[in-house]
Structures are given as C-alpha cells and as structure tokens.
Amino acid sequence: MVSIKDIASVCGVSAATVSKALNGHNDVGETTKQRVLDAAKELGYTGNFVARALKTNRTYNIGILYTELQGSGFLHEYFAATLNSFRTESAARGYDITFLNSNVGSQSMTYIQHARYRQVDGVAIMCADFFDPEVQELASSDIPVVTLDHSFNNRTAVMSDNINGLGSLVRHAYAKGHRKIAYIHGNPTAVTENRLTGFYRACEELGIKVPAGYVAECDYHETVSCYAATKKLLELSDRPTCILFPDDYAAIGGLNAIHDMGMTVPGDLSVMGYDGINLAQVISPNMTTWQQNTEDLGKTVASKLIERIENPRTTAAEYIVVQGRLFEGQTVRDIS
C-alpha cells in the first residue's frame, strides 16, 4: 500500500508537506501542492478516507447541479472552464464531485433526493433554471449551497460582474465614436437582467438614446436565433453602427447574417461579444469581447462552499462579484 512517506520520497519533500498538500492547506505552495497531487495519483494513493469521514462526519463529496438549458453541455466553453476550475480547487481541498440529476438508473429523483442519496456534503448550483421548484427546494434545504450567477436568500452567491461588463462594452463603443448601439441579449435570466441594467445604465450616463428596435432577444449559445435577430436589426431604416451580441458563440450567427447581407466587420458594422472564449480570439477579425474570469469564478464557488461545509457556524452568506476584463479585438471601428 502506498504511504505518505512514499509520496514524500518521490517529490523530495517532507511527509508533513505531503500531508498538508493532500489536505489543501494554504501554507504549501501551489507548485508543490500540484506535484504532490500528481505523484499521489500516479502512485495510486487513496489515503484513509473512511477514517477521515468517520472522524469528521463528512463524505468529502460535493454535488454539482449543472443543467445547461441550450443543450450544449460541456461544449459551452464558459461553463466548461468554470467547472474545471471548480473541480481543480475541490480536488486540492480533498473533495470529490458528483453531478446531480433527476434520474439514478431507472429511478426518478428530485435534486434534493439525489443529493441525499449520494450523501453530498454540499451542492454548487452552477447552471440551472433557478425558478424550477426542485432547484428552489434544494436551495432552501439544510444542505450547504453556493450558487453561480444567481442569488437566493441566505445563500452565498458568486457573481460575474455582468453589470460592469455590459457597461464597459458600451463605453468602449462610445469612445470609438458610436452612438447607435444595439444589444441582442439572451433569454430572460438573472444574468440577462443584470446585463440589461448595465447596458441601459451606461447608455443613460453617456446620453445615448436607445430606440426600442435596438434591443432584441435570442437564446444564449445559439447561432440561428442570433442570425435572425441580427438580420432584423440590419433591416431597420436607421440601423445601428455597433451591435453587442449575447455571447461569443451566438455571435457567429450574427456574423453570418452580416456577411449574407453583403456587409463587412468592422468596415460596415462594428460588433462585440461576451464571455471571452478562445473562439472569439482566433476568428478573423478577432472579436472585441468581455472576458469573464472563469478561473476565479470556479475557484471561488468551490472555496466558499467548502468553507460553509467545514465551518457552518462561523461562515455567513456572501454576495461575491468576480471582475472580468475587456478584450479589445479588431471588430470595433473608430468612427469618431
């Protein structure tokens, strides 16, 4: 059986350092911690998890609720990157993860029933219909819960800075001389509400008038409806000079509509996306977009959930906003 001393010998560190790294202590450097974790995995070290579970009355298993509504699943780069960061942080702290769903084999379960069946110590609600009664039941239960981009009463919520993100895109277009700015937003969610607030707030502060026809809707991460919404904007008699898309992937549909109408980006029309996925940076011209900090988002959700699990009496509910940044590509022309 592989021991902590075996891992210490391979890594050239003390057994105490190995123990700290395996238990996620902060006084071990990230490089050393990762080296220890890699060596432990390669050597097949499992540790005495049964004894630890008995001692702490925890299973060291975290549930993840991820029901991506557009059906793109882990192909959605924003969520995939956030989930990977969450998984990495959880593993570094000694926790496994289990995805929750409504079916276990042939047996139908609610989310809370599945959470209890798997005996998870806590649940991260990463992507879901937050108005679903089953989701609300889970959020109001006695199970520790942390949410991503949605806030429940008395639950810690980790939020991407959607209000500032949209506002920054509007201000960037304004600085380039644009006054006719349209926004195709995603389907109604708390995220969309915040982004719309950021859009209208920035326009008002800058003195930009937004005609009703300049605000349209399509599904997130879906190119067909974004194509249709973009085409409708371009058919206006007084069309915009700049369009903000709901996300970088849906923007592909918008770009196709622009091309099919014989226009070029940014020569005839300026555009901007949202999320900052790799695709936006490799297309030509590369997309100006708001890049969400997926690494910090996933890590923060994991760390705050584990804090709640391990210190329930001293951990209060928080509302945490994670900042992103503007990625200035080549899709906004200066018309000033």
Side-chain angles (χ1 to χ4, degrees):
M1 180 179 292
V2 178
S3 69
I4 285 179
K5 289 183 178 180
D6 296 325
I7 301 172
S9 178
V10 169
C11 295
V13 298
S14 68
T17 297
V18 172
S19 178
K20 290 180 179 180
L22 292 175
N23 286 285
H25 290 200
N26 294 327
D27 55 348
V28 179
E30 289 299 322
T31 301
T32 300
K33 185 184 295 184
Q34 192 59 53
R35 190 165 78 249
V36 168
L37 293 173
D38 291 342
K41 182 178 180 180
E42 185 176 342
L43 293 171
Y45 176 78
T46 57
N48 196 349
F49 292 111
V50 174
R52 183 173 65 154
L54 289 172
K55 181 179 179 181
T56 62
N57 197 31
R58 295 198 296 270
T59 63
Y60 292 88
N61 188 21
I62 291 174
I64 293 180
L65 184 54
Y66 177 84
T67 54
E68 204 276 303
L69 303 179
Q70 275 66 51
S72 51
F74 298 119
L75 295 178
H76 196 310
E77 189 175 326
Y78 163 73
F79 284 113
T82 304
L83 285 167
N84 185 61
S85 175
F86 178 93
R87 178 195 61 79
T88 301
E89 179 66 15
S90 298
R93 302 279 290 268
Y95 286 79
D96 292 323
I97 60 175
T98 295
F99 283 89
L100 304 179
N101 53 60
S102 297
N103 296 286
V104 179
S106 59
Q107 185 177 0
S108 178
M109 291 185 175
T110 63
Y111 295 130
I112 192 171
Q113 287 173 336
H114 192 189
R116 297 198 190 285
Y117 176 75
R118 293 299 183 189
Q119 296 182 305
V120 298
D121 294 326
V123 175
I125 306 180
M126 305 288 281
C127 180
D129 176 1
F130 291 99
F131 301 101
D132 182 340
E134 286 192 14
V135 176
Q136 295 183 342
E137 178 188 32
L138 177 61
S140 62
S141 72
D142 59 351
I143 299 173
V145 166
V146 171
T147 58
L148 174 66
D149 274 337
H150 187 86
S151 179
F152 286 111
N153 288 335
N154 299 318
R155 293 295 193 180
T156 290
V158 179
M159 313 290 288
S160 184
D161 194 1
N162 288 295
I163 293 177
N164 181 54
L166 249 296
S168 295
L169 292 174
V170 171
R171 287 188 288 272
H172 180 70
Y174 184 89
K176 295 288 186 178
H178 294 273
R179 303 295 182 265
K180 298 179 180 181
I181 304 172
Y183 178 33
I184 302 174
H185 61 78
N187 46 283
T189 63
V191 168
T192 301
E193 290 178 7
N194 284 337
R195 293 184 186 178
L196 276 167
T197 296
F199 174 75
Y200 282 118
R201 182 181 294 175
C203 288
E204 183 176 334
E205 290 173 352
L206 296 169
I208 299 174
K209 293 183 179 179
V210 183
Y214 273 25
V215 178
E217 179 181 330
C218 76
D219 292 329
Y220 283 115
H221 210 256
E222 203 278 303
T223 58
V224 175
S225 59
C226 190
Y227 180 103
T230 303
K231 190 171 184 292
K232 188 174 181 179
L233 285 173
L234 297 181
E235 289 172 344
L236 293 172
S237 57
D238 186 19
R239 67 189 183 200
T241 62
C242 182
I243 298 177
L244 312 186
F245 292 122
D247 61 81
D248 296 338
Y249 186 84
I252 300 302
L255 292 172
N256 287 339
I258 295 166
H259 177 267
D260 288 350
M261 294 189 73
M263 302 173 66
T264 63
V265 172
D268 298 312
L269 185 74
S270 293
V271 301
M272 290 186 278
Y274 205 98
D275 285 342
I277 65 175
N278 289 333
L279 177 65
Q281 300 175 28
V282 299
I283 61 174
S284 181
N286 58 343
M287 183 83 68
T288 295
T289 183
W290 183 257
Q291 190 170 52
Q292 303 199 72
N293 192 337
T294 54
E295 182 176 354
D296 277 2
L297 285 166
K299 183 176 181 178
T300 303
V301 172
S303 63
K304 291 301 177 180
L305 179 57
I306 292 170
E307 284 179 20
R308 180 64 179 170
I309 291 168
E310 297 183 349
N311 304 290
R313 293 182 178 179
T314 59
T315 304
E318 299 178 75
Y319 187 94
I320 303 162
V321 178
V322 175
Q323 303 294 328
R325 72 180 186 92
L326 178 73
F327 178 84
E328 186 173 353
Q330 300 169 319
T331 55
V332 180
R333 185 166 71 95
D334 192 333
I335 62 173
S336 58

